[in-house]
Amino acid sequence: MTHAEIIQRTTEYVRHEFERDSSGHDWWHIYRVWKTALELCQHEPADTLTVELAALLHDLDDWKLAPSADGTPVRAAAWLRTLQLDPALSAHICEIITHLSYKGAGVENQITSLEGQIVQDADRLDAIGAIGIARAFAYGGHAGRPLYDPGTPPQLHQSFEQYKASRSATINHFYEKLLLLKDRMNTATAQKIAQERHAFMEQFLERFLSEWAGEIRGD
Ligand code: ADP
Ligand code: NI
C-alpha cells in the first residue's frame, strides 16, 4: 500500500468511528490534530507517516471516551494490523498513543520521540484558544461537570489516578491543565502558536469571573 492509500483508509475508518461524538473528541478534532501535526512537520525532520497515523488514531483508546481502557491502545493496534505495516513502525505509533495524553499537572511527560512530541503539541494546541474553550465545556457537559463552582478551588494533581478521579468544574480544568500547556509545548513552532491562544483563554477567564462577580452589567 502507498502512503496515500494508508492515510486515505485510516481517515475513512476514524471518521466513521468518531462521527457521533459530542464530547469535543469528534472527527473534526482528529482532523485538526492531523493537519496541525503535518504543519509542525514542515519545521521538524520527522517521519510523516508515523506522525499522521499517530495523530489519526490517537483518541480511539482514550480513557475519557472508553473508561474501561487500561492505557494500552487496543483499537489503534488492531487497525494498524490491518495495514500490515513494518512491526517497528506500528509499535512506535502505539507507544506514542500510550503516552500522548495529559495525566495531571505534576505528572512527568513520557513522550520522547520527535514524532510523538509533534502529535502531542498538535493535540494540545487543540485544547487551548477559542476551540479549546469550546471543547472544555463540551467535555464538561458530557462528563456531567458544573460550569463553575466558586467553593471548590483548582488542584494541581500529582498522579494520574488523582487527575482521573477529579469531578471538579470545567473552569477548574483551565487552571489544572489548559493554562499550563503553553509552557509544556515540545516544538518551537507550537510554543509560538500557543502564546496567543493562551492570552485569549486568560481574557475569557477574566471576563467569565467578572460577570460571575456581577462586575459587568452592560450599562
Ligand atoms: P488529552 O488526551 O491530553 O486529555 P484530548 O484530545 O483527549 O487530550 O482532549 C481533552 C479535551 O477534553 C480537552 O479539550 C479538555 O479541555 C477537555 N476537558 C474538559 N474538561 C476536562 C476534564 N475535567 N478532564 C479532562 N479533559 C477535560
Ligand atoms: Ni485528542
Side-chain angles (χ1 to χ4, degrees), residues 16-59:
H16 179 258
E17 292 300 303
F18 285 94
E19 222 149 39
R20 307 189 64 81
D21 179 274
S22 58
S23 74
H25 294 82
D26 53 292
W27 157 249
W28 291 109
H29 162 64
I30 310 295
Y31 177 86
R32 289 188 302 268
V33 173
W34 171 37
K35 293 296 173 182
T36 304
L38 272 175
E39 183 86 28
L40 297 177
C41 280
Q42 307 263 325
H43 309 272
E44 309 288 335
D47 177 59
T48 26
L49 184 60
T50 308
V51 167
E52 287 188 83
L53 285 172
L56 287 167
L57 300 171
H58 84 273
D59 268 338

Side-chain angles (χ1 to χ4, degrees), residues 2-215:
T2 63
H3 181 135
E5 280 166 344
I6 292 172
I7 297 305
Q8 154 119 37
R9 278 203 201 187
T10 306
T11 52
E12 276 166 20
Y13 165 64
V14 173
R15 189 178 194 139
H16 179 258
E17 292 300 303
F18 285 94
E19 222 149 39
R20 307 189 64 81
D21 179 274
S22 58
S23 74
H25 294 82
D26 53 292
W27 157 249
W28 291 109
H29 162 64
I30 310 295
Y31 177 86
R32 289 188 302 268
V33 173
W34 171 37
K35 293 296 173 182
T36 304
L38 272 175
E39 183 86 28
L40 297 177
C41 280
Q42 307 263 325
H43 309 272
E44 309 288 335
D47 177 59
T48 26
L49 184 60
T50 308
V51 167
E52 287 188 83
L53 285 172
L56 287 167
L57 300 171
H58 84 273
D59 268 338
L60 275 174
D61 298 280
D62 193 274
W63 61 273
K64 293 185 279 333
L65 305 178
S68 59
D70 65 355
T72 43
V74 186
R75 292 170 73 204
W79 175 254
L80 289 168
R81 276 196 294 279
T82 71
L83 299 175
Q84 299 181 321
L85 304 172
D86 171 357
L89 176 64
S90 297
H92 183 199
I93 294 166
C94 287
E95 199 206 302
I96 292 174
I97 296 171
T98 304
H99 298 300
L100 199 71
S101 219
Y102 183 82
K103 299 203 166 57
V107 181
E108 200 189 330
N109 185 11
Q110 291 195 48
I111 284 279
T112 49
S113 70
L114 177 61
E115 288 78 12
Q117 291 178 335
I118 288 173
V119 182
Q120 188 174 61
D121 280 359
D123 195 27
R124 289 179 167 182
L125 285 172
D126 209 55
I128 61 176
I131 289 178
I133 295 171
R135 291 184 66 225
F137 289 102
Y139 179 82
H142 169 83
R145 311 279 176 89
L147 298 182
Y148 180 45
D149 171 11
T152 314
Q155 269 189 28
L156 296 178
H157 302 106
Q158 297 306 310
S159 75
F160 184 38
E161 287 63 38
Q162 265 180 10
Y163 177 68
K164 229 160 98 165
S166 160
R167 316 266 348 122
S168 71
T170 301
I171 289 291
N172 284 9
H173 187 63
F174 286 82
Y175 299 93
E176 293 167 353
K177 172 182 175 189
L178 306 182
L179 293 171
L180 308 178
L181 294 179
K182 134 179 112 52
D183 294 327
R184 296 179 187 212
M185 293 292 163
N186 303 295
T187 65
T189 313
Q191 273 158 22
K192 221 190 261 165
I193 303 171
Q195 306 290 335
E196 270 202 2
R197 296 191 186 189
H198 179 91
F200 184 72
M201 287 194 298
E202 283 192 321
Q203 275 177 33
F204 165 77
L205 287 167
E206 198 182 309
R207 182 95 191 189
F208 183 101
L209 295 170
S210 64
E211 286 182 18
W212 191 282
E215 286 159 19

